[in-house]
Amino acid sequence: MKVVHVVIVKFKPEVTEEQKELIIKDVIALKDDIPQITACTAGKTFTDRSKGYEWGWVVELEKKDDLPLYANHQAHLDFVNKYKPTFEDLIAVDYES
């Protein structure tokens, strides 16, 4: 059964749109470095229902056992270390589909 990893981010106020777009580009690029990722999409909300969480991404993995491999992959760890300081808050949800 496939695993879907959903992340929704509220950026700190000082983070520019250009920085946000670079972060999104880098999260999508994780697919090139982490073999467990089968699909990755990201985007900015276009509604006013998000309570300040304006960007989100979805990472799909083949199976549940791939989630820790993804989470502990050096490319993911580097991404988190580089961009975590730009996040005011973050929600992550993982489910099987």
Side-chain angles (χ1 to χ4, degrees):
M1 193 173 284
K2 146 175 108 170
V3 168
V4 181
H5 172 65
V6 179
V7 177
I8 303 171
V9 175
K10 183 185 293 186
F11 286 102
K12 292 181 178 176
E14 63 269 21
V15 179
T16 67
E17 286 299 313
E18 292 79 21
Q19 289 171 308
K20 294 172 189 176
E21 290 174 14
L22 176 61
I23 293 165
I24 297 308
K25 179 180 172 190
D26 284 352
V27 78
I28 291 172
L30 290 175
K31 187 176 186 299
D32 298 332
D33 296 323
I34 303 175
Q36 288 77 19
I37 298 175
T38 58
C40 185
T41 60
K44 183 177 180 177
T45 188
F46 56 86
T47 69
D48 60 357
R49 304 177 300 156
S50 65
K51 298 184 180 182
Y53 293 85
E54 59 182 338
W55 287 86
W57 51 87
V58 176
V59 175
E60 295 183 11
L61 307 167
E62 189 174 318
K63 59 189 182 295
K64 197 173 186 178
D65 291 342
D66 288 340
L67 188 59
L69 298 174
Y70 159 78
N72 295 308
H73 192 283
Q74 192 60 52
H76 179 258
L77 296 173
D78 291 346
F79 175 86
V80 171
N81 287 334
K82 183 175 182 178
Y83 293 120
K84 188 175 183 178
T86 68
F87 305 152
E88 183 173 309
D89 198 12
L90 175 145
I91 298 170
V93 177
D94 303 298
Y95 62 89
E96 290 182 296
S97 172

Coordinates of all heavy atoms in Angstrom, one line a residue:
M1 N 0.8 -1.2 0.0 CA 0.0 0.0 0.0 C 0.9 1.3 0.0 O 1.8 1.3 0.8 CB -0.9 0.0 1.2 CG -2.0 1.0 1.2 SD -3.2 0.8 2.6 CE -4.1 -0.6 2.0
K2 N 0.6 2.2 -0.9 CA 1.4 3.4 -1.0 C 1.3 4.3 0.2 O 0.2 4.3 0.9 CB 1.0 4.1 -2.3 CG 1.0 5.6 -2.3 CD 0.6 6.1 -3.6 CE -0.7 6.8 -3.6 NZ -1.0 7.5 -4.8
V3 N 2.3 5.0 0.5 CA 2.3 6.0 1.7 C 2.4 7.4 1.1 O 3.1 7.7 0.2 CB 3.5 5.8 2.6 CG1 3.6 6.9 3.6 CG2 3.3 4.5 3.4
V4 N 1.5 8.3 1.7 CA 1.5 9.7 1.3 C 1.9 10.5 2.4 O 1.4 10.4 3.5 CB 0.0 10.1 0.8 CG1 0.0 11.5 0.4 CG2 -0.4 9.2 -0.3
H5 N 2.9 11.3 2.2 CA 3.5 12.2 3.2 C 3.1 13.6 2.8 O 3.5 14.1 1.8 CB 5.0 12.0 3.3 CG 5.8 13.0 4.1 ND1 5.6 13.0 5.5 CD2 6.7 13.9 3.8 CE1 6.5 13.9 6.0 NE2 7.1 14.5 5.0
V6 N 2.3 14.3 3.7 CA 1.8 15.6 3.4 C 2.4 16.6 4.3 O 2.4 16.4 5.6 CB 0.3 15.7 3.5 CG1 -0.3 17.1 3.2 CG2 -0.4 14.7 2.6
V7 N 3.0 17.7 3.8 CA 3.5 18.8 4.7 C 2.9 20.1 4.3 O 2.8 20.4 3.1 CB 5.1 18.9 4.5 CG1 5.7 20.0 5.3 CG2 5.7 17.5 4.8
I8 N 2.5 20.8 5.3 CA 1.9 22.1 5.1 C 2.7 23.1 6.0 O 2.9 22.9 7.2 CB 0.4 22.1 5.5 CG1 -0.3 21.1 4.6 CG2 -0.2 23.5 5.3 CD1 -1.8 20.8 5.1
V9 N 3.1 24.2 5.4 CA 4.1 25.1 6.0 C 3.5 26.5 6.2 O 2.9 27.1 5.2 CB 5.4 25.2 5.2 CG1 6.3 26.2 5.8 CG2 6.0 23.8 5.2
K10 N 3.8 27.1 7.3 CA 3.6 28.5 7.5 C 5.0 29.1 7.7 O 5.7 28.8 8.6 CB 2.8 28.8 8.8 CG 2.5 30.2 9.1 CD 1.8 30.4 10.5 CE 0.4 29.8 10.5 NZ -0.3 30.1 11.7
F11 N 5.4 30.0 6.7 CA 6.7 30.6 6.8 C 6.8 31.8 7.7 O 5.7 32.4 7.9 CB 7.1 31.0 5.3 CG 7.5 29.9 4.4 CD1 6.6 29.4 3.5 CD2 8.7 29.3 4.5 CE1 6.9 28.4 2.6 CE2 9.0 28.2 3.7 CZ 8.1 27.8 2.7
K12 N 8.0 32.0 8.2 CA 8.2 33.2 9.0 C 7.9 34.5 8.1 O 8.1 34.4 6.9 CB 9.6 33.3 9.6 CG 9.8 32.2 10.6 CD 11.2 32.2 11.2 CE 11.3 31.2 12.3 NZ 12.7 31.1 12.8
P13 N 7.4 35.6 8.7 CA 7.1 36.7 7.9 C 8.2 37.3 7.0 O 8.0 37.9 6.0 CB 6.6 37.8 8.9 CG 6.3 37.0 10.2 CD 7.1 35.7 10.1
E14 N 9.4 37.2 7.5 CA 10.6 37.7 6.8 C 11.0 36.9 5.6 O 11.9 37.4 4.8 CB 11.8 38.0 7.7 CG 12.3 36.7 8.3 CD 11.7 36.3 9.6 OE1 10.6 36.7 10.0 OE2 12.4 35.5 10.4
V15 N 10.5 35.7 5.4 CA 10.8 34.9 4.2 C 10.2 35.5 3.0 O 9.0 35.6 2.9 CB 10.4 33.4 4.5 CG1 10.8 32.6 3.3 CG2 11.1 32.9 5.7
T16 N 11.0 35.7 2.0 CA 10.5 36.4 0.7 C 9.8 35.3 -0.2 O 10.1 34.1 0.0 CB 11.6 37.0 -0.1 OG1 12.5 36.0 -0.5 CG2 12.3 38.0 0.8
E17 N 9.0 35.8 -1.1 CA 8.4 34.9 -2.1 C 9.5 34.1 -2.9 O 9.3 33.0 -3.2 CB 7.5 35.6 -3.1 CG 6.2 36.1 -2.4 CD 5.4 34.9 -1.9 OE1 5.2 33.9 -2.7 OE2 4.9 35.0 -0.8
E18 N 10.6 34.8 -3.2 CA 11.7 34.2 -4.0 C 12.3 33.0 -3.2 O 12.6 32.0 -3.7 CB 12.8 35.2 -4.3 CG 12.3 36.2 -5.4 CD 11.4 37.4 -4.8 OE1 11.5 37.6 -3.5 OE2 10.7 38.0 -5.5
Q19 N 12.5 33.3 -1.8 CA 13.0 32.2 -1.0 C 12.0 31.0 -0.9 O 12.4 29.9 -1.0 CB 13.3 32.7 0.4 CG 14.4 33.7 0.5 CD 14.5 34.3 1.9 OE1 13.5 34.9 2.4 NE2 15.7 34.3 2.5
K20 N 10.7 31.3 -0.8 CA 9.7 30.3 -0.7 C 9.8 29.4 -2.0 O 9.7 28.2 -2.0 CB 8.3 30.9 -0.5 CG 8.2 31.5 0.8 CD 6.9 32.2 0.9 CE 6.8 33.1 2.2 NZ 5.6 33.9 2.3
E21 N 9.9 30.1 -3.2 CA 9.9 29.4 -4.4 C 11.1 28.5 -4.5 O 11.1 27.4 -5.1 CB 9.8 30.3 -5.6 CG 8.4 31.0 -5.7 CD 8.3 32.1 -6.7 OE1 9.2 32.2 -7.6 OE2 7.2 32.8 -6.7
L22 N 12.3 28.9 -4.0 CA 13.5 28.1 -4.0 C 13.3 26.9 -3.1 O 13.7 25.8 -3.5 CB 14.7 29.0 -3.6 CG 16.0 28.2 -3.4 CD1 16.4 27.6 -4.8 CD2 17.1 29.1 -2.8
I23 N 12.7 27.1 -2.0 CA 12.5 26.0 -1.1 C 11.6 24.9 -1.7 O 11.9 23.7 -1.7 CB 11.8 26.5 0.3 CG1 12.8 27.4 1.0 CG2 11.3 25.3 1.1 CD1 12.3 28.2 2.1
I24 N 10.5 25.4 -2.4 CA 9.6 24.4 -3.1 C 10.4 23.7 -4.2 O 10.2 22.5 -4.4 CB 8.4 25.2 -3.6 CG1 7.6 25.8 -2.4 CG2 7.5 24.3 -4.5 CD1 7.2 24.8 -1.3
K25 N 11.2 24.4 -4.9 CA 12.0 23.8 -6.0 C 12.9 22.7 -5.4 O 13.0 21.6 -5.9 CB 12.8 24.9 -6.7 CG 13.7 24.4 -7.8 CD 14.5 25.5 -8.4 CE 15.5 25.0 -9.4 NZ 16.5 26.0 -9.8
D26 N 13.5 23.0 -4.2 CA 14.4 22.1 -3.6 C 13.6 20.9 -3.0 O 14.2 19.8 -3.0 CB 15.2 22.8 -2.5 CG 16.3 23.6 -3.0 OD1 16.6 23.6 -4.3 OD2 17.0 24.4 -2.2
V27 N 12.4 21.1 -2.5 CA 11.7 19.9 -2.0 C 11.3 19.0 -3.2 O 11.4 17.8 -3.0 CB 10.5 20.3 -1.2 CG1 9.3 20.8 -2.0 CG2 10.0 19.2 -0.3
I28 N 10.9 19.5 -4.3 CA 10.6 18.7 -5.5 C 11.9 18.0 -6.0 O 11.8 16.8 -6.4 CB 9.9 19.6 -6.6 CG1 8.5 20.0 -6.1 CG2 9.8 18.8 -7.9 CD1 7.8 21.0 -6.9
A29 N 13.0 18.6 -5.9 CA 14.3 18.0 -6.3 C 14.7 16.8 -5.5 O 15.5 16.0 -5.9 CB 15.4 19.1 -6.3
L30 N 14.1 16.7 -4.3 CA 14.4 15.5 -3.4 C 14.1 14.2 -4.2 O 14.8 13.2 -3.9 CB 13.6 15.6 -2.1 CG 14.0 16.6 -1.1 CD1 13.1 16.6 0.1 CD2 15.5 16.4 -0.6
K31 N 13.2 14.3 -5.1 CA 12.8 13.1 -5.9 C 14.0 12.6 -6.7 O 14.2 11.4 -6.9 CB 11.6 13.4 -6.8 CG 11.1 12.2 -7.5 CD 9.9 12.5 -8.3 CE 9.3 11.3 -9.0 NZ 10.1 10.5 -9.9
D32 N 14.9 13.5 -7.1 CA 16.1 13.1 -7.8 C 17.2 12.4 -7.0 O 18.0 11.7 -7.5 CB 16.7 14.3 -8.5 CG 15.8 14.9 -9.5 OD1 14.9 14.2 -10.1 OD2 15.9 16.2 -9.7
D33 N 17.1 12.7 -5.6 CA 18.1 12.2 -4.7 C 17.7 11.0 -3.9 O 18.5 10.2 -3.4 CB 18.6 13.3 -3.8 CG 19.3 14.4 -4.6 OD1 20.0 14.1 -5.6 OD2 19.1 15.6 -4.2
I34 N 16.4 10.9 -3.6 CA 15.9 9.9 -2.7 C 15.1 8.8 -3.5 O 14.0 9.1 -4.0 CB 15.0 10.5 -1.6 CG1 15.8 11.6 -0.9 CG2 14.5 9.4 -0.6 CD1 15.0 12.3 0.2
P35 N 15.7 7.6 -3.7 CA 15.0 6.7 -4.6 C 13.7 6.2 -4.1 O 12.9 5.7 -4.9 CB 16.0 5.5 -4.6 CG 17.0 5.7 -3.5 CD 16.9 7.2 -3.1
Q36 N 13.3 6.3 -2.8 CA 12.1 5.8 -2.3 C 10.9 6.7 -2.7 O 9.7 6.3 -2.7 CB 12.1 5.7 -0.8 CG 12.9 4.6 -0.2 CD 14.4 4.9 -0.3 OE1 14.9 6.0 -0.4 NE2 15.2 3.8 -0.2
I37 N 11.2 7.9 -3.2 CA 10.1 8.9 -3.6 C 9.6 8.5 -5.0 O 10.4 8.4 -5.9 CB 10.6 10.3 -3.6 CG1 11.0 10.8 -2.2 CG2 9.5 11.2 -4.2 CD1 11.6 12.2 -2.2
T38 N 8.3 8.2 -5.1 CA 7.8 7.8 -6.4 C 7.1 9.0 -7.1 O 6.9 9.0 -8.3 CB 6.7 6.7 -6.2 OG1 5.7 7.1 -5.3 CG2 7.4 5.4 -5.7
A39 N 6.7 10.0 -6.3 CA 6.1 11.2 -6.8 C 6.2 12.3 -5.8 O 6.2 12.1 -4.6 CB 4.6 11.0 -7.2
C40 N 6.3 13.6 -6.3 CA 6.4 14.7 -5.4 C 5.8 15.9 -6.1 O 6.1 16.2 -7.2 CB 7.9 15.0 -5.1 SG 8.1 16.3 -3.9
T41 N 4.8 16.6 -5.4 CA 4.2 17.8 -5.9 C 4.2 18.8 -4.8 O 4.3 18.5 -3.6 CB 2.8 17.5 -6.4 OG1 2.0 17.1 -5.3 CG2 2.7 16.5 -7.5
A42 N 4.1 20.1 -5.2 CA 4.1 21.2 -4.2 C 3.4 22.4 -4.8 O 3.3 22.5 -6.1 CB 5.5 21.5 -3.8
G43 N 2.9 23.2 -4.0 CA 2.2 24.4 -4.5 C 1.8 25.3 -3.3 O 1.8 25.0 -2.2
K44 N 1.3 26.5 -3.8 CA 0.8 27.5 -2.9 C -0.7 27.5 -2.9 O -1.3 27.5 -4.0 CB 1.4 28.9 -3.3 CG 1.0 30.0 -2.4 CD 1.6 31.4 -2.8 CE 1.2 32.5 -1.9 NZ 1.8 33.7 -2.2
T45 N -1.3 27.7 -1.8 CA -2.8 27.7 -1.7 C -3.3 28.9 -2.4 O -2.6 30.0 -2.5 CB -3.3 27.7 -0.2 OG1 -4.7 27.5 -0.3 CG2 -2.9 28.9 0.5
F46 N -4.5 28.8 -3.0 CA -5.1 29.9 -3.7 C -6.4 30.3 -3.0 O -7.2 31.1 -3.5 CB -5.3 29.6 -5.1 CG -6.1 28.4 -5.4 CD1 -7.5 28.4 -5.4 CD2 -5.5 27.2 -5.6 CE1 -8.2 27.3 -5.7 CE2 -6.2 26.0 -5.9 CZ -7.6 26.1 -5.9
T47 N -6.7 29.7 -1.8 CA -7.9 30.0 -1.0 C -7.5 30.8 0.3 O -6.3 30.8 0.6 CB -8.7 28.8 -0.7 OG1 -8.0 28.0 0.3 CG2 -9.0 28.0 -1.9
D48 N -8.5 31.2 1.0 CA -8.3 31.9 2.2 C -8.6 31.1 3.4 O -8.8 31.6 4.5 CB -9.0 33.3 2.3 CG -10.5 33.1 2.2 OD1 -11.0 31.9 2.0 OD2 -11.3 34.1 2.2
R49 N -8.6 29.8 3.3 CA -9.0 28.8 4.3 C -7.8 28.2 5.0 O -8.0 27.4 5.9 CB -9.9 27.7 3.7 CG -11.1 28.2 3.0 CD -11.9 27.1 2.4 NE -11.1 26.4 1.4 CZ -11.3 25.1 1.0 NH1 -12.3 24.5 1.5 NH2 -10.5 24.5 0.2
S50 N -6.6 28.6 4.8 CA -5.4 27.9 5.2 C -4.9 28.4 6.6 O -3.9 27.8 7.0 CB -4.3 27.9 4.2 OG -3.9 29.3 4.0
K51 N -5.5 29.4 7.2 CA -5.0 29.9 8.5 C -3.5 30.2 8.5 O -2.9 30.0 9.5 CB -5.4 28.9 9.6 CG -6.9 28.7 9.7 CD -7.2 27.7 10.8 CE -8.7 27.6 10.8 NZ -9.2 26.7 12.0
G52 N -3.0 30.8 7.4 CA -1.6 31.2 7.4 C -0.7 30.2 6.8 O 0.5 30.5 6.6
Y53 N -1.1 29.0 6.7 CA -0.3 27.9 6.1 C -0.5 28.0 4.6 O -1.5 27.7 4.0 CB -0.7 26.5 6.5 CG -0.5 26.3 8.0 CD1 -1.4 26.7 9.0 CD2 0.7 25.7 8.4 CE1 -1.2 26.5 10.3 CE2 0.9 25.5 9.8 CZ 0.0 25.9 10.7 OH 0.2 25.7 12.1
E54 N 0.5 28.6 3.9 CA 0.3 29.0 2.5 C 0.9 28.0 1.5 O 0.6 28.1 0.3 CB 0.8 30.4 2.3 CG 2.3 30.6 2.6 CD 2.8 32.0 2.4 OE1 2.1 32.8 1.6 OE2 3.8 32.4 3.0
W55 N 1.9 27.2 1.9 CA 2.5 26.3 0.9 C 2.4 24.9 1.5 O 2.4 24.6 2.7 CB 4.0 26.6 0.8 CG 4.3 27.9 0.0 CD1 4.3 29.1 0.4 CD2 4.5 27.9 -1.4 NE1 4.5 30.0 -0.6 CE2 4.7 29.3 -1.8 CE3 4.6 27.0 -2.5 CZ2 5.0 29.7 -3.1 CZ3 4.9 27.4 -3.7 CH2 5.0 28.8 -4.0
G56 N 2.4 23.9 0.6 CA 2.3 22.5 1.0 C 3.0 21.6 -0.1 O 3.1 22.1 -1.2
W57 N 3.4 20.5 0.3 CA 3.9 19.5 -0.6 C 3.5 18.1 -0.2 O 3.1 17.8 0.9 CB 5.4 19.6 -0.8 CG 6.3 19.6 0.4 CD1 6.8 18.5 1.1 CD2 6.8 20.7 1.1 NE1 7.5 18.9 2.1 CE2 7.6 20.3 2.2 CE3 6.6 22.1 1.0 CZ2 8.2 21.1 3.1 CZ3 7.3 23.0 1.8 CH2 8.0 22.5 2.9
V58 N 3.4 17.2 -1.2 CA 3.0 15.8 -1.1 C 4.1 15.0 -1.6 O 4.6 15.2 -2.8 CB 1.7 15.6 -1.8 CG1 1.3 14.1 -1.7 CG2 0.6 16.4 -1.2
V59 N 4.6 14.1 -0.8 CA 5.6 13.1 -1.2 C 5.0 11.7 -1.2 O 4.4 11.3 -0.1 CB 6.9 13.2 -0.3 CG1 7.9 12.1 -0.7 CG2 7.5 14.6 -0.4
E60 N 5.1 11.0 -2.2 CA 4.5 9.6 -2.3 C 5.7 8.6 -2.3 O 6.7 8.8 -2.9 CB 3.6 9.4 -3.5 CG 2.4 10.3 -3.5 CD 1.5 10.1 -4.7 OE1 1.7 9.1 -5.4 OE2 0.6 10.9 -4.8
L61 N 5.4 7.6 -1.4 CA 6.4 6.5 -1.3 C 5.7 5.2 -1.6 O 4.5 5.1 -1.5 CB 7.0 6.5 0.1 CG 7.5 7.8 0.6 CD1 7.7 7.7 2.2 CD2 8.8 8.1 -0.1
E62 N 6.5 4.2 -2.0 CA 5.9 2.9 -2.4 C 5.2 2.1 -1.3 O 4.2 1.5 -1.4 CB 6.9 2.0 -3.1 CG 6.4 0.8 -3.8 CD 7.4 0.0 -4.5 OE1 8.2 0.7 -5.2 OE2 7.4 -1.2 -4.4
K63 N 5.9 2.2 -0.1 CA 5.4 1.4 1.0 C 5.7 2.0 2.4 O 6.6 2.9 2.4 CB 5.9 0.0 1.0 CG 7.4 -0.2 1.0 CD 7.8 -1.6 0.7 CE 9.3 -1.8 0.7 NZ 10.1 -1.1 -0.3
K64 N 5.1 1.6 3.4 CA 5.3 2.2 4.8 C 6.7 2.1 5.2 O 7.3 3.0 5.9 CB 4.4 1.4 5.8 CG 4.2 2.2 7.0 CD 3.1 1.4 7.9 CE 2.7 2.2 9.1 NZ 1.7 1.5 9.8
D65 N 7.4 1.0 4.9 CA 8.8 0.8 5.3 C 9.7 1.8 4.6 O 10.9 2.0 5.1 CB 9.3 -0.6 4.9 CG 8.6 -1.7 5.7 OD1 8.1 -1.4 6.8 OD2 8.7 -2.9 5.3
D66 N 9.3 2.5 3.6 CA 10.1 3.5 2.9 C 10.1 4.9 3.7 O 11.0 5.7 3.5 CB 9.6 3.8 1.5 CG 9.9 2.6 0.6 OD1 10.8 1.8 0.9 OD2 9.3 2.5 -0.5
L67 N 9.1 5.1 4.6 CA 9.0 6.4 5.3 C 10.3 6.7 6.1 O 10.9 7.8 6.0 CB 7.8 6.5 6.1 CG 7.5 7.8 6.7 CD1 7.3 8.9 5.7 CD2 6.2 7.8 7.6
P68 N 10.8 5.7 7.0 CA 12.0 6.1 7.7 C 13.2 6.2 6.8 O 14.1 7.0 7.1 CB 12.1 4.9 8.7 CG 11.2 3.8 8.2 CD 10.2 4.5 7.4
L69 N 13.3 5.4 5.7 CA 14.4 5.6 4.8 C 14.4 7.0 4.2 O 15.4 7.6 4.0 CB 14.3 4.5 3.7 CG 14.4 3.1 4.1 CD1 14.1 2.1 2.9 CD2 15.7 2.8 4.8
Y70 N 13.2 7.5 3.8 CA 13.1 8.8 3.3 C 13.5 9.9 4.4 O 14.3 10.8 4.1 CB 11.6 9.1 2.8 CG 11.2 10.5 2.7 CD1 11.6 11.3 1.7 CD2 10.4 11.1 3.7 CE1 11.2 12.6 1.6 CE2 10.0 12.4 3.7 CZ 10.5 13.2 2.6 OH 10.1 14.5 2.6
A71 N 12.9 9.7 5.5 CA 13.1 10.7 6.6 C 14.6 10.8 7.0 O 15.0 11.9 7.4 CB 12.2 10.3 7.8
N72 N 15.3 9.6 7.0 CA 16.7 9.6 7.4 C 17.7 9.7 6.3 O 18.9 9.7 6.5 CB 16.9 8.4 8.2 CG 16.1 8.4 9.5 OD1 16.2 9.3 10.3 ND2 15.4 7.3 9.8
H73 N 17.2 9.9 5.1 CA 18.1 10.1 3.9 C 18.8 11.4 4.1 O 18.3 12.4 4.5 CB 17.3 10.0 2.6 CG 18.1 9.9 1.4 ND1 18.9 10.9 0.9 CD2 18.4 8.8 0.6 CE1 19.5 10.5 -0.2 NE2 19.2 9.2 -0.4
Q74 N 20.1 11.4 3.7 CA 20.9 12.6 3.9 C 20.4 13.8 3.2 O 20.4 14.9 3.6 CB 22.4 12.3 3.5 CG 23.3 13.4 3.9 CD 23.4 13.6 5.4 OE1 23.6 12.7 6.2 NE2 23.1 14.9 5.9
A75 N 19.8 13.6 2.0 CA 19.2 14.7 1.2 C 18.1 15.3 2.0 O 17.9 16.6 2.0 CB 18.8 14.2 -0.2
H76 N 17.2 14.5 2.6 CA 16.1 15.0 3.4 C 16.6 15.7 4.6 O 16.1 16.8 5.0 CB 15.1 13.9 3.8 CG 14.0 14.4 4.6 ND1 14.0 14.2 5.9 CD2 12.9 15.0 4.3 CE1 12.8 14.7 6.4 NE2 12.2 15.2 5.4
L77 N 17.6 15.1 5.3 CA 18.1 15.8 6.5 C 18.8 17.1 6.2 O 18.6 18.1 6.9 CB 19.2 14.8 7.2 CG 18.6 13.5 7.7 CD1 19.7 12.6 8.2 CD2 17.6 13.8 8.8
D78 N 19.5 17.2 5.0 CA 20.1 18.4 4.6 C 19.0 19.5 4.3 O 19.2 20.7 4.7 CB 20.9 18.2 3.4 CG 22.2 17.4 3.6 OD1 22.6 17.3 4.8 OD2 22.8 17.0 2.6
F79 N 17.9 19.1 3.6 CA 16.8 20.0 3.4 C 16.2 20.5 4.7 O 16.1 21.7 4.8 CB 15.7 19.3 2.6 CG 14.5 20.1 2.3 CD1 14.4 21.0 1.2 CD2 13.4 20.0 3.2 CE1 13.3 21.7 1.0 CE2 12.3 20.8 3.0 CZ 12.3 21.7 1.9
V80 N 16.0 19.7 5.6 CA 15.4 20.1 6.9 C 16.3 21.0 7.6 O 15.9 22.1 8.1 CB 15.0 18.9 7.8 CG1 14.7 19.3 9.2 CG2 13.9 18.0 7.1
N81 N 17.6 20.7 7.7 CA 18.6 21.6 8.4 C 18.7 22.9 7.7 O 18.8 24.0 8.4 CB 19.9 20.9 8.4 CG 20.0 19.8 9.4 OD1 19.2 19.7 10.4 ND2 20.9 18.8 9.2
K82 N 18.6 23.0 6.4 CA 18.8 24.2 5.7 C 17.5 25.1 5.8 O 17.6 26.3 6.0 CB 19.0 23.9 4.2 CG 19.2 25.1 3.3 CD 19.6 24.8 1.9 CE 19.9 26.0 1.1 NZ 20.3 25.6 -0.3
Y83 N 16.3 24.5 5.8 CA 15.1 25.3 5.7 C 14.3 25.4 6.9 O 13.4 26.2 7.0 CB 14.3 24.8 4.5 CG 15.0 25.1 3.2 CD1 15.3 24.1 2.3 CD2 15.3 26.4 2.8 CE1 15.9 24.4 1.1 CE2 15.9 26.7 1.6 CZ 16.2 25.7 0.7 OH 16.8 25.9 -0.5
K84 N 14.5 24.5 7.9 CA 13.7 24.6 9.1 C 13.7 26.0 9.7 O 12.6 26.4 10.2 CB 14.2 23.5 10.1 CG 13.3 23.4 11.3 CD 13.7 22.2 12.2 CE 12.8 22.1 13.4 NZ 13.2 20.9 14.2
P85 N 14.8 26.7 9.7 CA 14.7 28.1 10.3 C 13.8 29.0 9.6 O 13.4 30.1 10.2 CB 16.2 28.5 10.2 CG 17.0 27.3 10.1 CD 16.1 26.3 9.4
T86 N 13.3 28.7 8.4 CA 12.4 29.6 7.7 C 10.9 29.3 8.0 O 10.0 30.1 7.7 CB 12.6 29.5 6.2 OG1 12.1 28.2 5.7 CG2 14.0 29.7 5.7
F87 N 10.7 28.2 8.7 CA 9.3 27.8 9.0 C 8.8 28.4 10.4 O 9.5 28.2 11.4 CB 9.2 26.3 9.1 CG 9.6 25.5 7.9 CD1 10.1 24.2 8.0 CD2 9.6 26.1 6.6 CE1 10.5 23.5 6.9 CE2 10.0 25.4 5.5 CZ 10.5 24.1 5.7
E88 N 7.7 29.0 10.4 CA 7.1 29.5 11.6 C 6.4 28.3 12.2 O 6.4 28.1 13.5 CB 6.1 30.6 11.3 CG 5.5 31.1 12.6 CD 4.6 32.4 12.3 OE1 5.1 33.3 11.7 OE2 3.5 32.3 12.7
D89 N 5.8 27.5 11.4 CA 5.1 26.3 11.9 C 5.0 25.3 10.7 O 5.1 25.7 9.5 CB 3.7 26.6 12.4 CG 3.1 25.5 13.3 OD1 3.9 24.6 13.7 OD2 1.9 25.6 13.6
L90 N 4.8 24.0 11.0 CA 4.7 23.0 10.0 C 3.8 21.9 10.5 O 3.8 21.6 11.7 CB 6.1 22.5 9.8 CG 6.3 21.3 8.8 CD1 7.6 21.5 8.1 CD2 6.2 20.0 9.6
I91 N 2.9 21.4 9.6 CA 2.1 20.2 9.9 C 2.5 19.1 9.0 O 2.6 19.4 7.8 CB 0.6 20.6 9.8 CG1 0.2 21.7 10.8 CG2 -0.3 19.3 10.0 CD1 -1.2 22.2 10.5
A92 N 2.7 17.9 9.5 CA 3.0 16.8 8.6 C 2.0 15.7 8.9 O 1.7 15.4 10.1 CB 4.4 16.3 8.8
V93 N 1.5 15.1 7.9 CA 0.6 14.0 8.0 C 1.0 12.8 7.1 O 1.4 13.1 5.9 CB -0.9 14.4 7.6 CG1 -1.8 13.2 7.7 CG2 -1.3 15.5 8.5
D94 N 1.0 11.6 7.6 CA 1.4 10.5 6.8 C 0.2 9.5 6.8 O -0.3 9.2 7.9 CB 2.7 9.8 7.4 CG 3.8 10.8 7.5 OD1 4.2 11.3 6.4 OD2 4.3 11.0 8.6
Y95 N -0.1 9.0 5.7 CA -1.2 8.0 5.6 C -0.9 7.0 4.5 O -0.2 7.2 3.6 CB -2.6 8.6 5.5 CG -2.8 9.4 4.2 CD1 -3.3 8.8 3.1 CD2 -2.5 10.8 4.2 CE1 -3.5 9.5 1.9 CE2 -2.7 11.5 3.0 CZ -3.2 10.9 1.9 OH -3.4 11.6 0.7
E96 N -1.6 5.8 4.6 CA -1.5 4.8 3.6 C -2.7 5.0 2.6 O -3.8 5.3 3.1 CB -1.5 3.4 4.2 CG -0.2 3.1 4.9 CD -0.2 1.7 5.5 OE1 -1.0 1.4 6.4 OE2 0.7 0.9 5.0
S97 N -2.4 4.7 1.4 CA -3.5 4.9 0.4 C -3.5 3.7 -0.6 O -2.5 3.1 -0.9 CB -3.2 6.2 -0.4 OG -4.0 6.3 -1.5

